Amino acid sequence: MSCSNLTMWVSSKPSLSDASSLSFSASLNPFFHLPSQNPSPSRSSATQIQCGLRELRGRIDSVKNTQKITEAMKLVAAAKVRRAQEAVVNGRPFSETLVEVLYNINEQLQTEDVDTPLTKVRPVKKVALVVCTGDRGLCGGFNNQIIKKAEARIAELKVLGLDYTVISVGKKGNSYFIRRPYIPVDRFLEQGSLPTAKEAQAIADDVFSLFVSEEVDKVELLYTKFVSLVKSDPVIHTLLPLSPKGEICDVNGVCVDAAEDEFFRLTTKEGKLTVERDVMRTKTDDFSPILQFEQDPVQILDALLPLYLNSQILRALQESLASELAARMSAMSNATDNAVELKRNLSRIYNRERQAKITGEILEIVAGANALS
């Protein structure tokens, strides 16, 4: 007998058409009981379909195995989140130093008429959207959130009458856009288990060529910003044109670059996993105001802006990975809790069935003994 559905909810007052179907179901399933016509107000109107003891034992064993798998996946994701956070924090000194250099060079060029292609703002006719998704599932609504954010942005661009193209990063996003050929996609890219500068450089080269050749007038980066182990926000950042001061800005031009990083550490307390939060600010050496450049500042700026573009993309990939792992850890934690609850309910049903069976056998023996006496 199949044990796929243990509980079936039935109305306490079925109609005439429902009564025939219920009686037919009762003839097929000996464990099915019709609800009484005058149910007690203190009891629920749900009727439970119960399986045999063998099927229940098999289902309990299956739930136990599922619980072990989800618990292991939770611990693996928790360990990887730690490494992903360390990668984000370790990249902060380089980014901050690069910002200081860009800012000081920009201050020296305030009185000069400098034309740098990556900071050139021109009328927007076409926008490139770099959408960063994950490579795997089992992470709750992580991929759906960023894809919905991309769909909403595409709808806004259509309302404004602007053309657009998509650069998809991640297997989940690739499969989504492949099934929708009406969305123009410039390139499909995949990322490894841990983002590297080489992968970020491939994306940077693509958007750089599109922007410099004036095929697109603006490049926006859509990724999931890591907030905490239980929260992540899909955001849109303007990637190109770059801010002359090296700031990370949103679509409205507002600086959103955080100066501090929150570091989450998993520890055990009273035998349970707990999360401790630390706010870390990576210190960088102050940029000397009397430092002089041997080369022309314009040449240095042209060399540093692509480098900073690469660092922005790499940081976005790292934060997206940290958000994916945190979402997977949360999803596997919920799955483990559900498995524990389901195992408890199945064990309760199994014990009741077993007790009823033993009681019935005892009554049969007593009735037989009384009949012989």
Side-chain angles (χ1 to χ4, degrees):
M1 180 186 301
S2 175
C3 190
S4 59
N5 295 325
L6 289 178
T7 305
M8 177 177 181
W9 300 95
V10 184
S11 174
S12 60
K13 294 183 179 180
S15 61
L16 294 177
S17 59
D18 295 335
S20 59
S21 61
L22 291 177
S23 60
F24 176 73
S25 301
S27 63
L28 294 179
N29 193 347
F31 297 102
F32 183 85
H33 302 284
L34 285 173
S36 60
Q37 297 298 327
N38 297 318
S40 174
S42 61
R43 298 187 62 180
S44 173
S45 61
T47 301
Q48 196 172 37
I49 301 177
Q50 299 176 350
C51 300
L53 295 178
R54 181 178 298 177
E55 288 80 5
L56 284 173
R57 282 198 299 268
R59 184 67 185 275
I60 292 173
D61 293 338
S62 176
V63 172
K64 286 181 179 179
N65 295 334
T66 303
Q67 178 186 351
K68 293 178 181 178
I69 294 173
T70 55
E71 183 70 23
M73 294 181 66
K74 172 187 174 183
L75 296 177
V76 170
K80 290 184 177 180
V81 165
R82 173 76 177 189
R83 292 199 297 268
Q85 290 182 95
E86 290 177 351
V88 174
V89 173
N90 292 336
R92 170 65 68 176
F94 174 77
S95 298
E96 287 192 350
T97 304
L98 198 54
V99 168
E100 292 288 340
V101 176
L102 289 175
Y103 179 77
N104 283 271
I105 294 177
N106 181 73
E107 290 294 326
Q108 296 183 18
L109 298 178
Q110 290 292 330
T111 58
E112 301 180 14
D113 186 12
V114 181
D115 184 17
T116 54
L118 293 183
T119 59
K120 184 177 181 180
V121 179
R122 52 180 180 261
V124 178
K125 298 179 181 179
K126 188 175 183 179
V127 180
L129 303 176
V130 182
V131 183
C132 300
T133 59
D135 289 338
R136 298 170 56 194
L138 296 178
C139 52
F142 169 78
N143 293 307
N144 290 335
Q145 289 178 357
I146 191 64
I147 289 176
K148 287 181 179 179
K149 189 76 171 181
E151 289 281 4
R153 184 57 178 166
I154 289 174
E156 292 178 0
L157 295 176
K158 288 182 179 179
V159 172
L160 296 175
L162 301 177
D163 294 333
Y164 63 91
T165 185
V166 175
I167 300 175
S168 178
V169 182
K171 293 181 180 178
K172 290 298 181 179
N174 294 347
S175 61
Y176 178 84
F177 291 113
I178 287 175
R179 293 195 300 267
R180 289 158 179 82
Y182 57 86
I183 298 179
V185 180
D186 179 76
R187 192 174 180 184
F188 294 99
L189 299 172
E190 295 183 1
Q191 55 182 349
S193 58
L194 187 63
T196 61
K198 184 178 180 180
E199 296 174 356
Q201 188 62 44
I203 303 173
D205 291 342
D206 194 18
V207 300
F208 179 82
S209 61
L210 289 175
F211 186 78
V212 173
S213 63
E214 298 188 0
E215 295 183 26
V216 298
D217 303 306
K218 189 178 183 181
V219 180
E220 296 178 355
L221 181 62
L222 289 80
Y223 69 99
T224 306
K225 182 178 179 61
F226 180 80
V227 179
S228 67
L229 291 177
V230 294
K231 182 182 179 182
S232 57
D233 296 329
V235 295
I236 304 177
H237 287 171
T238 298
L239 195 59
L240 290 175
L242 285 174
S243 171
K245 296 182 179 180
E247 298 173 343
I248 299 178
C249 301
D250 60 9
V251 292
N252 298 320
V254 180
C255 179
V256 293
D257 193 11
E260 296 179 344
D261 293 289
E262 284 190 334
F263 205 84
F264 297 90
R265 183 172 61 254
L266 290 176
T267 60
T268 56
K269 184 177 181 180
E270 297 180 357
K272 296 182 179 180
L273 285 176
T274 58
V275 180
E276 293 184 0
R277 177 182 301 179
D278 297 329
V279 178
M280 299 182 60
R281 181 179 179 88
T282 307
K283 295 183 179 180
T284 56
D285 297 333
D286 294 334
F287 193 82
S288 176
I290 61 174
L291 184 63
Q292 296 181 354
F293 300 97
E294 295 182 358
Q295 296 177 334
D296 186 11
V298 177
Q299 296 180 359
I300 300 177
L301 193 64
D302 290 338
L304 290 183
L305 285 178
L307 185 61
Y308 188 67
L309 174 65
N310 186 8
S311 67
Q312 282 191 17
I313 296 176
L314 179 59
R315 182 175 177 84
L317 295 178
Q318 291 172 342
E319 290 211 16
S320 180
L321 177 63
S323 302
E324 178 186 358
L325 294 172
R328 180 171 293 111
M329 186 184 70
S330 178
M332 292 300 101
S333 177
N334 294 334
T336 302
D337 296 339
N338 293 337
V340 171
E341 182 67 21
L342 181 58
K343 183 178 68 174
R344 184 185 300 112
N345 294 336
L346 290 175
S347 299
R348 187 183 300 113
I349 296 173
Y350 174 79
N351 293 333
R352 289 177 180 176
E353 288 290 324
R354 183 170 175 269
Q355 184 179 6
K357 184 177 180 181
I358 294 174
T359 303
E361 292 177 353
I362 293 175
L363 291 176
E364 290 178 359
I365 294 173
V366 173
N370 292 335
L372 293 177
S373 60

